[in-house]
Every structure is written in C-alpha cells, then in structure tokens.
Amino acid sequence: MSGTVITLGPQQLALEEPMYFSVEVDGEIVVGLDVLAGHVHRGMEHLVMKRNFYQNITLLERLCSLCSNSHPSTFCTAVEELAGIRIPARAEYLRAIADEIKRISSHLFNCAIIAHIIGQGTLFKRVMEVREIMQDTKESIYGNRMDLAANCIGGVRYDLTPESAVYLGKQMERIKGPLEELYRIYATDHAIRTRTEGLGVLPNRDAINYAVVGPVARASGIDYDVRRKSPYWAYDRLRFQVAVEQAGDVRARAMVRLREAREAVSLIEQCLVDLPPGPLCSDTLPEIPAGETIAKSEAPRGELIYYLNTDGTDMPVRLKWRVPSYMNWDALQVMLKGQRVADIPLIVNSIDPCISCTDR
Amino acid sequence: METRPVINPIPPVRLYRINAGSCNGCDVELAATAAVASFDVERLGCCYSESPAEADIVLITGPLTLRVKDKVLRLHGEVPKPKVTVAVGVCPISGGVFRDSYAVAGPADDYLPVDVNVPGCPPHPRAILAGIAKAAALWRELSGCGQTLPEPAVPGSYDEDAAAPLGLRGKMRFNAAACVGCRMCEHVCAGGAIRIDELGPGLRFTLWHNSCVFCGLCSHYCPTKALTVTDQWQLSHFQEDKFSLTEQGFIPFVACTGCGHIMLPATPELLRVSYRKTNPEIERLKTLCPECRQKQSLGGIRR
Ligand code: SF4
Ligand code: SF4
C-alpha cells in the first residue's frame, strides 16, 4: 500500500457546498478516506435555543434549502405533539403536498448533477429545465423558489384556492411526460449505464450495518420509508409505492430518486382529489408546556428525526436532530473502497449529500 | 470541444463563486443562472470561471462561518484587481437568520470590500442577475472597458421593471396607521429585521430589508395586518445604500380623553378585528386608556 493522501475539495467533487475529503490512494485506486467536515457549521443547536418557537420555524427552514420544507414541518409536528394539538385535516394534506413538491425538486437537482459529472452537458441542462416546472410551481403557490414558508405551529399558513389547485394539477400534468422521459434515459441510455452500473456499490448487509437512510438505503434493498413505516399527516390515507432497488450502485440510487419523483406526482394528485375543506390552523398561539418529544418524517434525503425538549417558556431548552445525510456519509467508506479516483465525484454525489444539514 | 461562432467581440466578464457556509439555497439558485436558459448569465455578457485567478467578479453566498473564513479570504485574494464583489442573499450581507452565532464571523463586509448586495433568502435568479449586471457594469468601468455592454438577449429579463413573477414574496410593507404596537412581528422575526422602539411621542418601527428573509411570518402573525408582503423582489443595490434600505413608520401616542395619560391609539383595523363593526359607544371608549375605560364601565353598571 502506497498510502498517498490527497485532499479533494468542492471544486474537484462537483459539490455546491464546501466539503473536503482526505483520500488515501494507491495509484489510481481509493484505499481509504476521511471526511473533513464543519465548513458550514453555523452553530444551529446554539441558535435554536436563542430563538423562540416562531423564529425557529423560519430559522430551521434554512438548515438546508434542498430539504427546506421537511425541517419546519417536522419541527412544528414536534411542537404540536407537546402542546397536544391535532392539526386540521386540510393542513395534513397541504403539508404533504409541500413536502412532495420539494421532493421532486430535490431529486431532480441531484439527477442534474449526476448528468453534469458524467459529462452529459445537454442532459444536465434538460433536467434543470424540467426542474424549473417545479420551481415555477413553488414560486406561484408559495412565493419563493426554495423556501416555501408553508408551516406554522398548528397547521399551515398557505392555502390552495380553487384556482391554485387547478394550476398545481396542470403543473403535475406538465411534468409527467418529462419525468417519464428522464426515467427512460437514466434507465436505458448506454453512456449513463456504463458510467453508473456496478459503480460505488453498497451491499445490502453494509447498508444495514451503516444504518443508511432514504434513497441510499432503498437502493440497497432496504424497504424503509417513514411515510410507510410510521405515517404522519395525510400519508396513511395516500397510496404510494416505496421505491426499492437491489443493486446498491450509483445507478440504483438515481433510479430510486426518479421513481420517487414520479410517485410524488401521484401523491400530489391524490391530495388534490381528497383535499378536505376546513381550517388551515388549529390554534394560532398555543401554550407550549414543558416536556420532551420526538418527531420524524421522510425528507428527500431520508429519515429526519427531531428531538425537542421544552420547559414551558417559548424557547426550546434543547433541540437536536438527526439529519439523513449524516447517516449516509460513513457508508462512502464502503462505496469508494477499490474504486478509481476519477469516479469519486460521481459516487459522492450519488448519496446526494447535504453539507449544510450535516455541518449545521 | 464545442466551438461556437464568435458573435460578441467583447470578452465576457468572468464570475467566480465562493460558498461561505450557505444553506445551499443561494447556491442552487446560482446553479440555475448557469443552467437554465431564461436566467443564463451569458445574456449579460458574463460567464462562470472555475479559477479565482481568472475571474473578474466574486459572488459570495453564506454568512461567512468561522471555519471557512480564512479559505474564503484567501480565494477572494486570488482574484486579480480590479475585482468587484457581490454578496448574494442576506447571509453575507447581515448574517440573515444565522446572525449572532458563535460560529459565524460575518457579515462579509467586515473582512472584504463588498460592492453590490442582493437581498433575498434566497433571492430570485432574476434578482441575482440584476445584481450581477450592476457588478459587471462597475467592473467594466473600473477596468476601462466600459460603454460596450452588450444588450441582453431578452430585454427585461433582469431589469428593474420586469413584471413580478406571480405571487412572489418580496419586501415587506408597513402601514403605521394600522399598527397597534403589540410587537408580535418583532417577536417572530428570525432575522431580527424588525425593531420597535419608544421614541419621545410614539413608537418608531424599522425593518431592515437586508436582514429580512421574506418569510412573511410577521405579516402572518400581525393581528391587524399592518405588515403585508409585497411583490417587490428586485432589491439589488450598491454597498453605499446598504443601511438605508429600510421600511419605517411612526405610531404617535395619543392622550387619554379621561385622564390625559399617553397611550397607543386604537386603530380602526384593531376595532374591526375585535368587534367587526363599531358603534358610538366603542368609538367613545377607544379614546380612553384601559384604566379610565374600566372605571367608566364599572360606573355604567352601578348606574
Ligand atoms: S441567504 Fe438564505 S437561502 Fe441564501 S444561503 Fe443564506 S439562508 Fe440560505
Ligand atoms: S418577513 Fe417579517 S418576520 Fe420574516 S424575516 Fe422579514 S421582517 Fe422578519
């Protein structure tokens, strides 16, 4: 073993965020790696204790912008649990809609990056253009292309008017064809297959040992999705398939995401059909008693867990979370071992890592 | 290699991106300005560069965390002069929602010269383009290749008058006449963008657009809707205007008609929310302070 160590940064890894890797190589082959984290550490655990529950809704939406709806909605669920609030049925559907819209956007962004790394510039732009359908949707319904500001304690603070529901339905119709087309390209295109098949394999047993979550787990044959295992909001009334693949490679992870994007469209359509009338929010300014609780949801990158501890004041005593990306980083050890150095960016991006929630 | 006919003899202005610890919102939107045709920076005569040494304009995102500070300063230093620096998103401008954390070193202009600010959280790609257009014009002026700015391919794609996209959450508007001084907005604002302080004969309301993240929470919880979300999202500005980009209002105290004690006026909006319709009795009582009101009501019962 030669044991040369090289450092790779965001530029070499095609990451949007600053994350550094110290990689031990033997010639062209990876033999070990260390993740050098912390660059996006903004002291979130400290900040949430200095902000009240309301401020935290907005702050947590900025924990990570790609999963930005999952954070405030899961946080609000935890607060509601403590306050004994049941959110109105309409809000349960509206929260699911917001989460699924974000899921499609997030998954498409990752697919675009994968195309970019493979050197498929045209496909990269095509995926980004398809994603714009979702960006327009978010902008028109929520008022921002990334941060929806959809949640408040006790429910949601946006509504779908009859017109905006029709618009959302039309946007879903619009994106179906392109999503099918992208699925077909990623599944069958020869150039993509040769670059992604058998690459960065995470065998099922390792996936279990490393406790990976989200599309990374499901691509390694683990049938785990919080929406199915412990349904929240409207998910117990919605029909959907949990996308599971067996190969555990870069390709399988991309396929899981594209299948989930298609499922998300179906989920949104079901919500639009079933959307019950009624209020959006149960209690505007509830008392939050002392206590502790856990809330979880299936964010685009996997299981997101919130732990909240309160003392009866309007600020959390402690707020901790286990973010999905955090679980998945370690499994890169398995995926990268024995792979070529040139394939590192592709494999790293195949876990769709989010640095801002890892470092918080 | 892809070859293109040279349409424009002017060399493009080169942009270099530095992520100084962002939540990735601004970075994903910057990716859109590289990948999505309708937001393409090329229409401004700009292009992205992978190397700081070959760049003219620096785009900074994120609040400048302590951990990245030195790396950011080093990269920024590698960009040759005359460089123009753009702070994208409220994070580098004011710290945004991450302000006053032990882990945040920013705002960026404490450490490097910032020329253009693009408020928003994240800003719309078109707002980012407007900021880049300002920066490019400034760079051309500084480097002596001015006057030759190419016309954007699609006019109006970034200019200040472009129609607001449907329903976009832009800057907040404050209506002092409707404010009841309950300070709920100040309480819920994660960015600390709102301050209400007592100033002689009334309350002074200030909202800094460079700290605001356009979440609309203040408007949501405002009982009288004195705060409303507008669709004005085009807020990019030069550094000298950084602190004057505010929304202000003054709520004068009134004297109680009973005892002369000064108090906040009961606004028509408050009365509408509380009683839906007013009557002469409510109109009379509203000019009294709580204490006088209580006395009057008690007296009323006794009579
Ligand atoms: S300004 Fe907002 S969107 Fe941009 S990096 Fe900061 S928190 Fe994220
Ligand atoms: S919209 Fe209102 S609550 Fe939100 S950051 Fe701006 S001023 Fe604060």
Side-chain angles (χ1 to χ4, degrees):
Chain A
M1 202 163 93
S2 78
T4 321
V5 173
I6 53 171
T7 305
L8 299 177
Q11 215 105 47
Q12 295 92 334
L13 294 166
L15 289 173
E16 286 296 334
E17 301 173 84
M19 184 59 123
Y20 294 80
F21 281 66
S22 159
V23 188
E24 200 184 324
V25 293
D26 182 3
E28 264 304 288
I29 303 299
V30 180
V31 288
L33 100 146
D34 214 0
V35 177
L36 311 172
H39 297 83
V40 192
H41 180 61
R42 289 147 293 165
M44 288 294 274
E45 284 190 33
H46 163 78
L47 280 176
V48 290
M49 291 173 359
K50 297 211 300 184
R51 309 270 200 265
N52 60 47
F53 295 118
Y54 304 101
Q55 294 173 308
N56 276 328
I57 302 173
T58 301
L59 172 61
L60 289 165
E61 190 151 21
R62 279 129 187 106
L63 194 81
C64 153
S65 264
L66 284 163
C67 303
S68 66
N69 195 63
S70 303
H71 288 282
S73 59
T74 312
F75 167 69
C76 288
T77 306
V79 176
E80 287 148 9
E81 172 92 19
L82 282 178
I85 299 173
R86 201 195 148 138
I87 67 168
R90 189 173 178 84
E92 293 188 315
Y93 281 84
L94 290 173
R95 273 196 188 163
I97 289 176
D99 253 20
E100 295 307 321
I101 289 179
K102 286 291 295 182
R103 193 182 316 280
I104 303 173
S105 281
S106 175
H107 282 357
L108 286 180
F109 191 72
N110 181 254
C111 285
I113 299 292
I114 297 286
H116 170 69
I117 298 172
I118 297 176
Q120 302 254 354
T122 323
L123 181 60
F124 163 66
K125 292 203 169 179
R126 171 81 187 122
V127 184
M128 288 296 281
E129 292 289 351
V130 173
R131 182 173 172 275
E132 280 300 306
I133 300 176
M134 298 316 296
Q135 298 304 94
D136 285 345
T137 310
K138 288 185 277 182
E139 180 173 301
S140 302
I141 295 179
Y142 303 93
N144 188 286
R145 294 162 44 97
M146 297 300 291
D147 294 335
L148 307 185
N151 298 280
C152 61
I153 295 164
V156 289
R157 59 184 178 102
Y158 83 102
D159 198 9
L160 284 181
T161 60
E163 301 81 57
S164 54
V166 169
Y167 166 78
L168 179 55
K170 280 198 186 132
Q171 290 293 83
M172 291 301 106
E173 267 320 311
R174 262 185 77 197
I175 203 165
K176 274 185 200 165
L179 281 182
E180 288 303 322
E181 172 206 324
L182 292 180
Y183 182 82
R184 194 181 43 74
I185 294 174
Y186 279 83
T188 57
D189 181 84
H190 182 70
I192 297 179
R193 282 193 80 145
T194 19
R195 278 304 301 280
T196 57
E197 217 163 11
L199 188 76
V201 176
L202 180 69
N204 181 272
R205 191 152 36 90
D206 292 309
I208 294 170
N209 286 342
Y210 280 86
V212 293
V213 292
V216 176
R218 292 191 284 278
S220 291
I222 299 177
D223 186 355
Y224 185 86
D225 187 315
V226 184
R227 293 173 295 173
R228 171 63 39 79
K229 290 284 172 192
S230 25
Y232 46 99
W233 312 332
Y235 285 110
D236 57 347
R237 279 146 280 166
L238 300 169
R239 297 167 308 279
F240 63 99
Q241 265 191 351
V242 176
V244 181
E245 297 272 340
Q246 302 301 330
D249 54 7
V250 171
R251 176 168 182 266
R253 294 190 271 278
M255 295 328 300
V256 165
R257 289 192 191 97
L258 284 165
R259 280 173 59 190
E260 287 184 3
R262 292 194 303 184
E263 283 298 324
V265 171
S266 144
L267 283 165
I268 293 167
E269 289 182 332
Q270 291 174 49
C271 287
L272 285 176
V273 173
D274 300 344
L275 191 65
L280 301 170
C281 183
S282 316
D283 186 351
T284 331
L285 300 168
E287 282 280 318
I288 315 297
E292 59 175 352
T293 192
I294 276 177
K296 56 182 181 171
S297 70
E298 184 73 27
R301 283 158 189 73
E303 183 182 51
L304 170 68
I305 305 179
Y306 264 67
Y307 166 80
L308 174 65
N309 187 345
T310 57
D311 63 357
T313 65
D314 69 350
M315 292 201 196
V317 174
R318 197 85 170 85
L319 177 58
K320 268 185 83 72
W321 40 90
R322 202 197 67 184
V323 297
S325 289
Y326 196 82
M327 301 311 293
N328 294 343
W329 283 109
D330 236 14
L332 280 175
Q333 309 266 8
V334 179
M335 298 181 202
L336 282 171
K337 195 157 276 167
Q339 302 284 343
R340 294 182 313 137
V341 172
D343 285 329
I344 296 177
L346 191 51
I347 297 172
V348 168
N349 276 278
S350 77
I351 69 165
D352 195 9
C354 169
I355 288 100
S356 61
C357 69
T358 305
D359 285 352
R360 59 259 186 170
Chain B
M1 271 292 285
E2 202 182 326
T3 50
R4 274 191 207 183
V6 183
I7 316 162
N8 199 336
I10 313 157
V13 179
R14 298 157 304 173
L15 315 172
Y16 183 70
R17 292 168 47 182
I18 303 179
N19 179 329
S22 91
C23 79
N24 72 37
C26 290
D27 299 275
V28 171
E29 290 298 46
L30 280 172
T33 66
V36 176
S38 51
F39 306 134
D40 201 334
V41 290
E42 281 183 22
R43 38 172 71 189
L44 303 179
C46 298
C47 70
Y48 280 106
S49 156
E50 291 293 305
S51 140
E54 286 160 20
D56 309 311
I57 292 178
V58 190
L59 309 175
I60 294 190
T61 60
L64 192 63
T65 62
L66 275 178
R67 181 80 199 275
V68 285
K69 193 189 89 198
D70 291 343
K71 278 199 179 85
V72 170
L73 295 181
R74 185 167 44 75
L75 288 170
H76 187 267
E78 282 172 30
V79 178
K81 283 182 183 157
K83 61 186 146 201
V84 173
T85 306
V86 185
V88 177
V90 291
C91 274
I93 308 176
S94 66
V97 291
F98 310 117
R99 65 192 303 161
D100 43 74
S101 161
Y102 65 85
V104 169
D109 60 2
D110 277 357
Y111 301 90
L112 19 106
V114 171
D115 303 288
V116 178
N117 293 310
V118 185
C121 186
H124 194 279
R126 289 202 261 169
I128 299 177
L129 288 184
I132 295 177
K134 282 194 174 69
L138 178 62
W139 183 82
R140 288 197 158 98
E141 202 182 298
L142 294 176
S143 63
C145 15
Q147 284 97 43
T148 40
L149 188 70
E151 280 297 308
V154 178
S157 60
Y158 67 90
D159 61 53
E160 312 274 326
D161 312 321
L166 203 68
L168 200 76
R169 260 181 280 125
K171 72 173 180 188
M172 305 302 300
R173 187 173 23 229
F174 178 67
N175 172 12
C179 176
V180 292
C182 71
R183 299 190 170 207
M184 192 60 190
C185 54
E186 195 180 28
H187 185 68
V188 301
C189 178
I194 297 176
R195 202 166 74 201
I196 297 179
D197 33 31
E198 228 182 288
L199 191 83
L203 292 181
R204 184 181 57 185
F205 172 97
T206 315
L207 188 159
W208 282 268
H209 298 303
N210 270 325
S211 299
C212 172
V213 296
F214 307 91
C215 67
L217 209 61
C218 49
S219 164
H220 178 74
Y221 283 110
C222 176
T224 56
K225 296 289 166 272
L227 275 156
T228 43
V229 185
T230 73
D231 58 7
Q232 288 173 46
W233 49 279
Q234 197 59 279
L235 299 171
S236 66
H237 56 276
F238 286 108
Q239 174 74 359
E240 62 253 37
D241 300 323
K242 175 173 174 180
F243 295 102
S244 50
L245 208 70
T246 57
E247 180 79 7
Q248 300 205 349
F250 190 75
I251 309 121
F253 292 131
V254 292
C256 166
T257 49
C259 65
H261 197 83
I262 62 155
M263 61 172 196
L264 276 168
T267 69
E269 281 77 5
L270 178 67
L271 298 179
R272 206 180 47 240
V273 175
S274 330
Y275 308 109
R276 251 180 268 151
K277 253 169 77 183
T278 68
N279 56 35
E281 181 62 5
I282 294 175
E283 286 299 325
R284 193 177 60 82
L285 285 175
K286 84 170 196 195
T287 63
L288 297 171
C289 70
E291 218 166 282
C292 290
R293 222 157 43 216
Q294 210 172 29
K295 275 189 204 145
Q296 286 253 338
S297 325
L298 288 174
I301 291 167
R302 247 179 260 136
R303 256 198 310 258

